[in-house]
């Protein structure tokens, strides 16, 4: 399904969107998942969201989503099956990098 590496930001955005989430929630979740190491600026986040929408890796949920607070205008996003497959491919790529690095350094 393609073997290009995901950026760390995209990796964490996709992981965040296993559950429906709006932009600010994604920013907070990415920072939490990375232990504060990865902090997304709004411009970076929404640029990545637009790219992920175009690739079909995430979808924007309908405005009348039941999970939304009444009166909230926040758009929520969710990962697609294609996005999950990209995450699985990236995890496999990272596992290979780690295994090769450990094997060579432990010689």
């Amino acid at each position: 399904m393609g073997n290009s590496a995901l950026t760390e930001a995209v990796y964490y955005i996709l992981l965040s969107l296993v559950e429906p989430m709006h932009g600010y929630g994604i920013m907070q979740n990415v920072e939490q998942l990375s232990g504060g190491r990865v902090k997304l600026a709004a411009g970076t986040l929404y640029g990545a969201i637009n790219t992920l929408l175009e690739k079909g890796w995430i979808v924007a949920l309908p405005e009348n989503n039941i999970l939304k607070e009444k009166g909230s205008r926040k758009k929520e996003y969710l990962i697609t099956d294609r996005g999950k497959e990209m995450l699985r491919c990236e995890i496999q790529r990272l596992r290979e990098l780690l295994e090769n690095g450990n094997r060579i350094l432990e010689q």
Side-chain angles (χ1 to χ4, degrees), residues 33-91:
L33 285 173
S34 68
R37 203 172 39 76
V38 179
K39 294 179 178 155
L40 296 175
T44 303
L45 173 66
Y46 288 103
I49 283 175
N50 286 334
T51 300
L52 294 172
L53 286 167
E54 288 171 12
K55 291 182 175 187
W57 296 0
I58 66 172
V59 293
L61 297 177
E63 291 292 327
N64 62 356
N65 183 357
I66 297 167
L67 299 175
K68 287 176 77 133
E69 314 129 34
K70 283 193 173 176
S72 172
R73 302 193 62 156
K74 295 175 182 170
K75 189 175 279 192
E76 289 186 317
Y77 304 92
L78 185 65
I79 194 169
T80 62
D81 287 342
R82 191 167 177 199
K84 287 179 184 174
E85 182 57 29
M86 293 311 300
L87 263 181
R88 287 185 192 101
C89 288
E90 180 66 0
I91 290 167

Side-chain angles (χ1 to χ4, degrees), residues 23-35:
Y24 184 66
I26 297 168
M27 289 167 64
Q28 291 179 308
N29 200 53
V30 166
E31 189 170 343
Q32 181 195 9
L33 285 173
S34 68

